[in-house]
Amino acid sequence: MALGDLMASRLVHSSSSPSPSPSTAAPPAPLPNHHHNHVTDDLPVANGPEPRNGLEPAEVEKPASVAYPPQVVVLCEQRHEGIDEAAAAAAGPSTSGLVSKWRPKDRMKTGCVALVLCLNISVDPPDVIKISPCARMECWIDPFSMAPPKALENIGKTLHSQYERWQPKARYKLQLDPTVEEVKKLCNTCRKYARSERVLFHYNGHGVPKPTTNGEIWVFNKSYTQYIPLPITDLDSWLKTPSIYVFDCSAAGIIVKAFLERLDWSSSSSSSSQKDCILLAACEAHQTLPQSAEFPADVFTACLTTPIKMALHWFCKRSLLRGSMDRSLIDQIPGRQNDRKTLLGELNWIFTAITDTIAWNVLPHGLFQKLFRQDLLVASLFRNFLLAERIMRSANCSPISYPLLPPTHQHHMWDAWDMAAEICLSKLPQLIADPNAEFQPSPFFTEQLTAFEVWLDHGSQDKKPPEQLPIVLQVLLSQSHRFRALVLLGRFLDMGPWAVDLALSVGIFPYVLKLLQTSAMELRQILVFIWTKILSLDKSCQVDLVKDGGHTYFIRFLDSLDAYPEQRAMAAFVLAVIVDGHRTGQEACIHAGLIDVCLRHLQPENPHDAQTEPLLLQWLCLCLGKLWEDFAEAQSLGLQSNAPEILIYLLSEPQPEVQCLHISSVLSFASFTIYLLNIWYCQVRASAVFALGNLLDMGSTSSNGVDDDSDDDEKVKAEINVVRSLLQVSSDGSPLVRCEVAIALTRFALGHNKHLKSVAAEYWKPQTNSLLKSPPSLANISSPSNVYSPNNIRQGSSGLASHIGPVLRVGIDSSATGRDGRVSTSSPIATSSIMHGSPQSDDSSQHSDSGILLRENASNGGLSYTRSRPADSVIYSQYISTMCSVAKDPYPRIATIGRRALSLIGVEQVVMKNSRFNSGGAHQGETSAPPSNFGMARSSSWFDMNSGNFSIAFRTPPVSPPQHDYLTGLRRVCSMEFKPHPMNSPEGLADRLISAAAPSNAELSILPQSTIYNWSCGHFSRPLLSGSDDNEEAHARREEREQIALDCIAKCQRSSACKMTSQIASWDTRFDSGTKAALLLPFSPIVIAADENEQIRVWNYDDALPVNSFQNHKLSDRGLSKLLLINELDESLLLAASSDGNVRIWKNFTQKGGQKLVTAFSSVQGHRAAGRSIVIDWQQQSGCLYASGDMSSILVWDLDKEQLLSTIQSSGDSAISALSASQVRSGHLAAGFVDGSVRIFDVRSPDRLIYMARPHAPRTEKVVGIGFQPGFDPYKIVSASQAGDIQFLDVRRAAEPYLTIEAHRGSLTALAVHRHAPVVASGSAKQMIKVFSLEGEQLTIIRYQPSFMGQRIGSVNCLSFHPYKSLLAAGAGDNALVSIYAEENYK
């Protein structure tokens, strides 16, 4: 199986792709006896006459009795968990924490080896009695087969060669039967050569007595007539540290004990508290070395230096082959130990894998790292020490070590070694007899990989880790097994951070690093995946990758077109981590051409081609952003490569009005729906903004504090174009995008600080009286060509000044003001900026409770001003006006960033608590604060992000406020200082920021941190190759709810008359201003209510208990429009629409205090004149939110992509007063207008408008409520006007209604249409609710009853039916009651 197939089959269905859009998501399996109505399907309708108003005859079919449309699930991605900096930082790669502990602190090397042999051949020591036959062999040499001096020399040379096999680059020093002085000289020489490296001291004491109880070993005098004791303390003082000792003698445990006592004493003294000493001893203090002839005399040394030979000899005597096997053949095993394609090499390979596995599974990971990964020679000795323990324990001898190891001689992996040894021995005679015989590899590694695969199929973090992991590491050395091992390793790493930590701790890193030097095509994809998993958790590997040139491997892979887009996105991620905060990595990637590669793949070769995988686009942008971050050379190269234009393309908003007309003639509805999906996902837009923001130069601090006027004009021009594009997306529907825009614009504020301050100062100079007396014109602001429209920003917003006028004042700035106090016409700002645009006033802004305060430099009475480029001043004015809007963003963090940016350029909002202003005056029923209160207004500083109560006060009182009514709430402060602030600065924050000529370190430290990169990194740390169990649970919950819904729908449809006469619950919400909106949840006995002050309360009407209560927001400008439920069959979300057009969506709203903001945006983007009469509705099938108000258009939002999808012109001068989206036919919505007219739109139709009527004529009262009739017939609507009449229309017939109900006389306030039951309800201001059938029969009337047990209702503010049951919730406007009504037999 090809690797691409394996990876793609898992990745395509993984979380790497964004959530499916309405038309791409596979619909749920059809329910029994029900069919699905897809977005592009023709809908069944009732039989009737010829359709009119643009509906084709082909659409007329017989309606189905029951159907349930599939629903799209939106706003459930990881990004909707929040975009705070702390969470994003936790999601990104780390250089500390869990996975940083895998890397050895200090790599060690054994530089010198001292071999000391005290054999005194032919003379036995006095304390050892040897019985013949006994063990004689030393280094596999019989010392009695030759003359003693010759034997001693040969044994020494052989021991040297045996050690050299494990560490060929070390210096070796040999002393045979030495004296104390010779040992001292040897030790000093070795330490001199080794310097800070480790020294190995090997002592063979088979020809001397056992060590003394005082911790002394024995050597000889010069004449070999006496044994001379050598204290272990002297030996340690000569060799120093680091060192490793091997003691092969009887009672070697005595030496270990003496060493430990010395180490304990040393650690208690301050002089040598860090001793790095390792000990290996052949036996315990009370034991004697094995004397049996079946063992060599130096069995411990044989195990440490010739483990394969020793292991086979020992095994041969215990296996079934002992009778037929010639043991001499063991010495003739063909091959080399370092050649894995030979028998000897494969045996050594298997032995290494098994001993590594035993150690890794038994030892603590820290000890394993020290003994088996820090030093190659130490690692080899400890692997062989495990064999020595197994063999010598069979002879009742227990080798010991320091650090102490747990027993391993009975580990079950030794059985695997015995099997491999038996297979080897069975092949040996044939291979020796026929040297040309083909070598058959052992099945050991194949079987172990299979065992690892079985664990992967059933294992998890909660179970025991896979013991085969070290074997997988060894398998990577074999080309025949490498591919399978890498695939299995990738699956393991995908299980989570704990798996990556285990793999790194076992030593996987150098292996996968070296594999980047291979050119094997089949390994590229899985290697990229493995590195993605490693770097998603530990970015410190970036240094190793650049050092070894690994970055070029990923650049080549990114540039290849034969890989899947998801895999190339991983390569872009790896490169992004390589350059993240790593200047060497940035430079290396620039020289390797990474900028050109990324930009080339961001551009579609053919504009008509399907667009690239969003994940790849996202990471191409993020990679570029990290490459440019704080790196001027890279930023210059990016600007020269035309990067801004390429990235700006990703920010472009769709223009459906134009696109639909162009493509409708050649595309069917189905293909048009797919076309609409080719709008960039919000992750891509946010990443493009991140990249563009890092192209902006934040400037540098100069010694004289003066801006450099010799800046490159081309660079400034490019930066202005970038900022102009960012301003166009400052009202994006996604908080993720808007947050990045705000951060990028804050960077711009740092780089262009003095120009922005100067422009702000000039704009808010006192102007002529005639100009001041002209209040801002809301009529002009409300025109479609206002400052917030993308077209105006693109064209320079030339008419902005005439729309708004000067509304703010500042102190004197002599550099641009004439002596008479008027703005000098020679000032470039006065001539270009004021004439072509000025900051938007509060009157036209999204919120109307704030003024603007310009802070000045108290040191010189005016701003330090540098002459601004006239061509740039327009964009500076647009910047300031946009940031004023950003500072009021409905998402709290974005508003905080906006206030921070304004603070940097000396502009600060002033919140007036006791008044609200709109169109230059207070709202009806509210009073403006008197002038004397202006000095008490508190500052909404950028570091006060959560509360309206600000703690910072002024030291110097402000001057008197302006006298004009429309300037109320705006003021000027000349010389002001702040109290000490959290940054512990000795001076006021405002003064410090204003007086700085370039960004200081303190300013850079308060620059808000981007979250998109770290948040996006979190995607790769999650499992990518397997589905989540949460999806299965959600699917089961959805199926259960679907069945409940279908049962309730069937019951509703069978009900002949829903007489809701029984009041089952009455809830006093205790709202001060009455109930504005109410909502019944579909699958729990919960009702949600909200008031005009946007206090939201949740109540359980079965238990009559409160569930939760929270504030929709903390801004002072409040007013609620509607409550809606999103994803009602899944994890439901609560949409709260404010009357100013801001939409906030909450999750966990039924948990006490657990509510969490999912997203927030302005639904009337660019239409500030929509007023406070916003109407809104939600269509689950399409994932679209429709919004309108006092304007001539309807905005269509795609909540899946969090983007404005379309703007529908209403084809009329009247404002929209009611809006209803069809829950049956996707894309259909009905709108009621203030003039009493009704229109139906189809967003898929090129003409959009498909029906228009005036059912309420001749009366012209506004339409209060409108809705599609119950059931699954999409062509019948109900409309109710304020005059009290309810009209029933069939859009396939004439424009005249087929049924009229005179429900209330001039006092109708609310209309509710049940989704499935054949009833409608209306409410009036005269404390009355009526319920009608679809035939016009009045089923129920609920009046105000003053009696104690009566149904107390007030002026009806809102009515809401249960989605599936015959329940009606009514909210009163004057007594804050919410009443719930049901049929008599309701249970």
Side-chain angles (χ1 to χ4, degrees):
M1 179 177 60
L3 177 63
D5 297 337
L6 170 76
M7 302 297 289
S9 64
R10 296 178 181 273
L11 283 172
V12 165
H13 299 96
S14 73
S15 59
S16 61
S17 298
S19 62
S21 294
S23 302
T24 57
L31 295 169
N33 303 321
H34 301 93
H35 72 272
H36 287 267
N37 293 324
H38 294 276
V39 171
T40 58
D41 292 343
D42 293 325
L43 289 169
V45 298
N47 293 327
E50 288 293 318
R52 302 178 183 177
N53 295 300
L55 296 174
E56 297 299 327
E59 295 180 314
V60 180
E61 299 177 12
K62 185 177 180 180
S65 58
V66 178
Y68 200 72
Q71 293 194 351
V72 178
V73 181
V74 298
L75 303 176
C76 58
E77 296 298 314
Q78 190 69 26
R79 66 178 183 270
H80 299 117
E81 295 297 324
I83 56 173
D84 56 287
E85 292 183 24
S94 174
T95 55
S96 62
L98 172 69
V99 293
S100 65
K101 299 176 182 177
W102 64 269
R103 193 185 292 270
K105 295 181 179 179
D106 296 304
R107 299 290 296 183
M108 290 293 294
K109 177 184 175 183
T110 301
C112 199
V113 177
L115 304 176
V116 177
L117 277 66
C118 297
L119 296 179
N120 198 13
I121 297 173
S122 74
V123 179
D124 290 335
D127 58 349
V128 176
I129 300 175
K130 296 184 178 180
I131 301 174
S132 183
C134 64
R136 292 288 185 184
M137 303 283 282
E138 298 280 356
C139 292
W140 305 101
I141 295 175
D142 185 353
F144 296 97
S145 61
M146 60 191 78
K150 178 106 174 144
L152 182 62
E153 181 181 357
N154 285 346
I155 292 171
K157 289 181 179 179
T158 304
L159 181 62
H160 175 193
S161 64
Q162 289 175 178
Y163 265 110
E164 201 169 31
R165 186 181 300 126
W166 304 108
Q167 180 61 292
K169 296 183 179 180
R171 289 176 177 264
Y172 288 86
K173 299 293 180 180
L174 181 65
Q175 283 292 343
L176 306 176
D177 292 345
T179 64
V180 172
E181 289 300 320
E182 289 172 336
V183 172
K184 179 180 180 180
K185 182 179 179 181
L186 172 70
C187 292
N188 290 332
T189 302
C190 287
R191 175 47 62 196
K192 179 181 178 182
Y193 282 142
R195 298 182 181 178
S196 60
E197 295 177 345
R198 196 186 306 275
V199 174
L200 185 147
F201 182 86
H202 180 101
Y203 173 76
N204 183 326
H206 296 170
V208 293
K210 298 177 182 177
T212 68
T213 55
N214 294 327
E216 299 165 319
I217 58 175
W218 297 96
V219 290
F220 303 95
N221 62 2
K222 291 184 179 180
S223 59
Y224 297 98
T225 57
Q226 289 182 342
Y227 299 113
I228 306 298
L230 174 59
I232 208 68
T233 54
D234 292 349
L235 189 63
D236 181 49
S237 65
W238 299 334
L239 282 178
K240 299 182 174 61
T241 187
S243 56
I244 177 172
Y245 298 87
V246 178
F247 296 107
D248 187 355
C249 60
S250 296
I254 295 177
I255 307 173
V256 175
K257 181 180 179 182
F259 249 109
L260 293 181
E261 290 175 353
R262 175 172 174 79
L263 289 177
D264 291 340
W265 175 83
S266 298
S267 62
S268 63
S269 65
S270 59
S271 58
S272 57
S273 59
Q274 299 295 328
K275 295 286 287 184
D276 185 359
C277 183
I278 298 174
L279 304 173
L280 297 176
C283 59
E284 294 186 3
H286 62 279
Q287 292 177 338
T288 303
L289 293 178
Q291 296 292 317
S292 172
E294 69 171 309
F295 296 106
D298 62 345
V299 58
F300 185 61
T301 299
C303 288
L304 294 182
T305 57
T306 55
I308 303 302
K309 185 175 183 178
M310 186 68 233
L312 291 179
H313 274 285
W314 181 78
F315 174 76
C316 187
K317 293 179 181 180
R318 285 159 177 75
S319 73
L320 298 176
L321 300 174
R322 62 181 179 272
S324 58
M325 179 73 185
D326 182 2
R327 291 175 55 192
S328 63
L329 295 179
I330 295 176
D331 300 329
Q332 305 175 39
I333 296 177
R336 301 186 306 275
Q337 281 196 339
N338 57 358
D339 185 357
R340 290 181 295 274
K341 295 182 179 179
T342 63
L343 184 57
L344 182 59
E346 186 182 59
L347 274 174
N348 185 63
W349 186 25
I350 294 173
F351 177 81
T352 300
I354 288 175
T355 49
D356 249 14
T357 301
I358 293 173
W360 188 73
N361 282 282
V362 170
L363 300 183
H365 285 181
L367 186 58
F368 176 83
Q369 287 286 335
K370 177 181 179 180
L371 301 182
F372 287 82
R373 292 294 180 264
Q374 196 178 51
D375 187 319
L376 291 177
L377 181 57
V378 171
S380 300
L381 290 177
F382 268 92
R383 288 192 197 100
N384 302 341
F385 179 80
L386 300 184
L387 174 70
E389 184 192 16
R390 186 190 191 208
I391 291 177
M392 296 183 71
R393 275 182 179 268
S394 66
N396 296 320
C397 196
S398 302
I400 57 175
S401 67
Y402 175 79
L404 183 66
L405 302 187
T408 60
H409 60 287
Q410 293 182 331
H411 197 279
H412 64 89
M413 284 301 295
W414 286 120
D415 296 335
W417 165 251
D418 290 343
M419 183 177 180
E422 188 167 352
I423 293 174
C424 164
L425 293 176
S426 64
K427 294 178 183 178
L428 192 56
Q430 179 185 359
L431 289 175
I432 294 177
D434 183 8
N436 297 323
E438 184 179 359
F439 171 69
Q440 296 294 331
S442 168
F444 171 79
F445 288 105
T446 301
E447 293 168 353
Q448 293 300 318
L449 287 179
T450 301
F452 184 48
E453 189 170 9
V454 170
W455 187 95
L456 289 175
D457 292 337
H458 304 283
S460 67
Q461 182 179 4
D462 300 327
K463 296 183 179 180
K464 183 181 177 182
E467 62 182 20
Q468 297 85 11
L469 202 55
I471 298 176
V472 176
L473 181 73
Q474 290 294 324
V475 170
L476 295 180
L477 299 171
S478 169
Q479 192 169 356
S480 59
H481 298 291
R482 185 175 295 155
F483 176 75
R484 184 187 179 195
L486 286 173
V487 171
L488 295 178
L489 178 61
R491 287 181 57 189
F492 178 69
L493 296 180
D494 192 54
M495 299 182 79
W498 63 273
V500 178
D501 179 47
L502 286 177
L504 290 173
S505 67
V506 83
I508 208 77
F509 181 78
Y511 289 77
V512 292
L513 181 62
K514 193 170 184 63
L515 284 175
L516 294 179
Q517 300 173 9
T518 66
S519 58
M521 298 294 290
E522 69 276 7
L523 301 182
R524 295 187 312 157
Q525 296 167 350
I526 185 60
L527 277 175
V528 169
F529 181 82
I530 288 173
W531 273 104
T532 297
K533 284 298 178 180
I534 293 174
L535 289 175
S536 67
L537 291 149
D538 192 349
K539 89 177 225 185
S540 67
C541 303
Q542 60 185 184
V543 177
D544 306 85
L545 281 170
V546 175
K547 182 179 179 181
D548 285 26
H551 61 285
T552 58
Y553 185 92
F554 298 100
I555 293 177
R556 289 194 301 269
F557 185 87
L558 178 62
D559 200 25
S560 64
L561 297 177
D562 55 347
Y564 289 96
E566 297 93 338
Q567 295 163 344
R568 291 166 58 207
M570 294 178 190
F573 161 75
V574 171
L575 290 165
V577 177
I578 288 175
V579 300
D580 180 19
H582 185 213
R583 181 52 56 85
T584 305
Q586 290 174 314
E587 294 171 347
C589 288
I590 282 180
H591 296 149
L594 179 58
I595 292 179
D596 293 336
V597 170
C598 290
L599 292 178
R600 183 163 60 250
H601 292 290
L602 280 172
Q603 303 176 79
E605 296 181 4
N606 185 343
H608 301 290
D609 289 346
Q611 292 171 354
T612 313
E613 165 67 31
L615 188 67
L616 175 58
L617 294 175
Q618 176 184 348
W619 276 102
L620 287 172
C621 294
L622 292 174
C623 182
L624 286 173
K626 280 296 176 182
L627 186 59
W628 293 329
E629 190 173 51
D630 303 326
F631 191 18
E633 179 186 350
Q635 292 169 354
S636 299
L637 290 174
L639 294 174
Q640 294 170 13
S641 303
N642 203 28
E645 289 190 15
I646 297 171
L647 291 167
I648 287 169
Y649 169 73
L650 300 178
L651 300 180
S652 59
E653 293 281 354
Q655 302 293 333
E657 297 86 347
V658 179
Q659 295 167 344
C660 292
L661 293 175
H662 174 68
I663 66 173
S664 60
S665 59
V666 294
L667 294 179
S668 65
F669 275 164
S671 57
F672 173 55
T673 304
I674 296 174
Y675 172 81
L676 288 181
L677 298 180
N678 292 330
I679 301 169
W680 305 119
Y681 287 86
C682 66
Q683 300 101 308
V684 179
R685 303 196 305 275
S687 302
V689 171
F690 172 77
L692 286 170
N694 280 321
L695 272 177
L696 300 176
D697 187 4
M698 290 189 295
S700 58
T701 305
S702 58
S703 59
N704 56 6
V706 179
D707 288 350
D708 186 5
D709 290 332
S710 60
D711 290 340
D712 181 46
D713 289 341
E714 291 297 323
K715 180 178 179 182
V716 173
K717 183 179 178 181
E719 288 190 354
I720 294 300
N721 289 334
V722 168
V723 172
R724 182 176 288 112
S725 302
L726 293 177
L727 294 178
Q728 293 181 42
V729 293
S730 61
S731 297
D732 192 278
S734 169
L736 197 64
V737 179
R738 298 200 308 279
C739 185
E740 294 302 318
V741 171
I743 292 170
L745 292 177
T746 305
R747 290 174 62 92
F748 180 76
L750 281 175
H752 296 248
N753 192 266
K754 295 188 70 64
H755 293 316
L756 284 167
K757 290 175 182 175
S758 302
V759 170
E762 288 298 328
Y763 282 157
W764 294 324
K765 291 289 185 184
Q767 304 298 313
T768 61
N769 290 336
S770 60
L771 192 58
L772 279 173
K773 290 179 180 178
S774 302
S777 171
L778 283 179
N780 289 334
I781 298 172
S782 64
S783 65
S785 58
N786 61 78
V787 65
Y788 283 90
S789 66
N791 291 334
N792 250 12
I793 293 180
R794 198 176 297 115
Q795 297 167 4
S797 187
S798 60
L800 181 60
S802 62
H803 294 338
I804 300 171
V807 294
L808 302 177
R809 302 173 59 201
V810 298
I812 301 301
D813 187 343
S814 59
S815 63
T817 307
R819 293 182 180 179
D820 58 353
R822 294 176 296 177
V823 178
S824 171
T825 57
S826 63
S827 168
I829 301 174
T831 57
S832 62
S833 302
I834 293 183
M835 296 306 294
H836 293 286
S838 62
Q840 187 171 5
S841 76
D842 188 65
D843 298 323
S844 61
S845 65
Q846 178 175 327
H847 299 283
S848 55
D849 62 335
S850 300
I852 300 295
L853 165 69
L854 181 75
R855 300 175 310 178
E856 300 181 53
N857 194 331
S859 61
N860 55 14
L863 288 167
S864 175
Y865 167 67
T866 302
R867 189 179 183 88
S868 174
R869 294 180 177 85
D872 302 342
S873 57
V874 173
I875 204 68
Y876 292 148
S877 69
Q878 293 168 357
Y879 172 90
I880 296 171
S881 62
T882 298
M883 293 313 293
C884 289
S885 177
V886 171
K888 305 170 192 175
D889 194 276
Y891 204 92
R893 180 171 188 259
I894 300 171
T896 302
I897 296 172
R899 293 195 296 269
R900 187 177 304 186
L902 290 174
S903 178
L904 289 173
I905 61 173
V907 178
E908 189 162 328
Q909 291 180 298
V910 179
V911 178
M912 303 301 297
K913 294 191 174 299
N914 298 324
S915 59
R916 302 177 188 171
F917 305 98
N918 193 17
S919 304
H923 288 299
Q924 184 177 2
E926 298 173 354
T927 58
S928 301
S932 60
N933 288 342
F934 282 115
M936 301 303 294
R938 289 178 177 176
S939 167
S940 170
S941 182
W942 57 262
F943 41 77
D944 285 311
M945 57 181 294
N946 296 320
S947 170
N949 298 319
F950 304 105
S951 58
I952 298 178
F954 299 112
R955 290 177 180 168
T956 306
V959 298
S960 301
Q963 299 303 315
H964 306 283
D965 290 340
Y966 61 91
L967 294 182
T968 307
L970 308 176
R971 62 191 174 91
R972 155 180 181 243
V973 175
C974 281
S975 177
M976 69 177 187
E977 295 179 358
F978 289 108
K979 291 180 179 178
H981 49 79
M983 299 182 65
N984 299 321
S985 171
E987 55 181 319
L989 178 64
D991 298 335
R992 183 178 56 81
L993 294 177
I994 289 178
S995 61
S1000 63
N1001 292 335
E1003 284 176 330
L1004 294 177
S1005 68
I1006 64 172
L1007 183 70
Q1009 296 300 309
S1010 170
T1011 56
I1012 180 64
Y1013 172 74
N1014 283 334
W1015 174 85
S1016 300
C1017 289
H1019 162 73
F1020 290 112
S1021 64
R1022 294 185 289 272
L1024 302 176
L1025 302 180
S1026 59
S1028 173
D1029 294 337
D1030 295 340
N1031 293 337
E1032 297 179 3
E1033 295 177 5
H1035 183 67
R1037 182 173 61 248
R1038 181 187 176 91
E1039 286 185 342
E1040 179 185 359
R1041 290 185 172 183
E1042 279 183 347
Q1043 190 57 52
I1044 294 173
L1046 289 169
D1047 293 342
C1048 292
I1049 290 172
K1051 184 177 180 180
C1052 284
Q1053 291 177 334
R1054 290 194 300 267
S1055 177
S1056 57
C1058 299
K1059 296 184 178 180
M1060 300 183 183
T1061 57
S1062 174
Q1063 183 182 25
I1064 64 171
S1066 181
W1067 172 31
D1068 185 358
T1069 61
R1070 302 185 185 279
F1071 289 141
D1072 295 334
S1073 57
T1075 304
K1076 178 68 175 178
L1079 182 68
L1080 290 165
L1081 296 193
F1083 302 106
S1084 56
I1086 297 292
V1087 61
I1088 305 171
D1091 67 349
E1092 184 67 24
N1093 291 324
E1094 302 196 56
Q1095 180 74 25
I1096 300 173
R1097 290 176 180 163
V1098 186
W1099 192 60
N1100 186 312
Y1101 53 82
D1102 273 2
D1103 300 333
L1105 293 174
V1107 176
N1108 194 17
S1109 177
F1110 60 95
Q1111 198 77 33
N1112 192 31
H1113 62 82
K1114 297 181 180 180
L1115 301 176
S1116 58
D1117 187 19
R1118 294 173 183 163
L1120 191 82
S1121 175
K1122 196 170 185 179
L1123 294 177
L1124 293 168
L1125 197 64
I1126 296 178
N1127 302 339
E1128 66 182 31
L1129 289 179
D1130 300 273
E1131 200 68 40
S1132 300
L1133 305 174
L1134 177 65
L1135 184 150
S1138 301
S1139 55
D1140 59 5
N1142 284 337
V1143 167
R1144 294 172 177 85
I1145 300 177
W1146 299 87
K1147 65 186 297 185
N1148 304 332
F1149 52 90
T1150 58
Q1151 300 176 11
K1152 186 172 182 61
Q1155 68 279 352
K1156 187 173 183 180
L1157 186 63
V1158 173
T1159 187
F1161 63 97
S1162 172
S1163 64
V1164 289
Q1165 170 189 353
H1167 296 269
R1168 295 299 185 265
R1172 304 182 63 83
S1173 302
I1174 296 299
V1175 289
I1176 203 163
D1177 204 12
W1178 163 248
Q1179 192 173 60
Q1180 188 76 50
Q1181 295 94 319
S1182 63
C1184 289
L1185 183 74
Y1186 304 96
S1188 187
D1190 292 340
M1191 55 190 188
S1192 59
S1193 58
I1194 302 171
L1195 279 68
V1196 184
W1197 291 88
D1198 183 343
L1199 286 196
D1200 184 41
K1201 298 181 180 66
E1202 299 179 70
Q1203 191 172 34
L1204 182 64
L1205 186 64
S1206 173
T1207 301
I1208 303 173
Q1209 297 302 323
S1210 61
S1211 306
D1213 297 332
S1214 179
I1216 297 175
S1217 58
L1219 202 62
S1220 176
S1222 172
Q1223 300 303 320
V1224 175
R1225 186 157 198 175
S1226 181
H1228 273 208
L1229 68 148
F1233 290 76
V1234 172
D1235 62 2
S1237 61
V1238 170
R1239 294 179 176 86
I1240 296 181
F1241 301 92
D1242 187 344
V1243 297
R1244 306 169 304 167
S1245 168
D1247 299 328
R1248 303 299 177 89
L1249 179 64
I1250 60 174
Y1251 178 79
M1252 182 172 64
R1254 290 184 175 273
H1256 302 284
R1259 290 169 290 198
T1260 58
E1261 274 83 351
K1262 71 175 183 178
V1263 175
V1264 173
I1266 193 168
F1268 289 85
Q1269 288 192 23
F1272 298 94
D1273 188 342
Y1275 300 108
K1276 292 183 178 181
I1277 62 173
V1278 181
S1279 175
S1281 77
Q1282 193 171 9
D1285 60 315
I1286 302 175
Q1287 306 291 346
F1288 291 73
L1289 299 98
D1290 189 332
V1291 301
R1292 296 163 299 185
R1293 295 177 171 84
E1296 297 299 323
Y1298 68 85
L1299 176 63
T1300 299
I1301 301 175
E1302 294 293 341
H1304 308 275
R1305 294 182 179 179
S1307 60
L1308 193 145
T1309 57
L1311 175 74
V1313 182
H1314 200 288
R1315 198 183 297 177
H1316 302 287
V1319 292
V1320 298
S1322 63
S1324 75
K1326 298 179 179 179
Q1327 304 171 331
M1328 185 181 299
I1329 299 172
K1330 294 182 180 180
V1331 181
F1332 300 94
S1333 69
L1334 297 184
E1335 289 75 30
E1337 178 186 358
Q1338 181 175 301
L1339 302 177
T1340 308
I1341 180 169
I1342 304 170
R1343 291 188 176 92
Y1344 175 78
Q1345 299 289 342
S1347 64
F1348 177 76
M1349 296 299 293
Q1351 299 168 323
R1352 295 182 63 244
I1353 65 171
S1355 175
V1356 180
N1357 264 9
C1358 58
L1359 292 173
S1360 176
F1361 278 112
H1362 189 283
Y1364 308 116
K1365 298 179 181 179
S1366 297
L1367 293 178
L1368 175 66
D1374 52 6
N1375 57 13
L1377 283 181
V1378 172
S1379 302
I1380 302 176
Y1381 304 95
E1383 298 179 89
E1384 289 289 347
N1385 58 351
Y1386 174 79
K1387 294 182 180 180

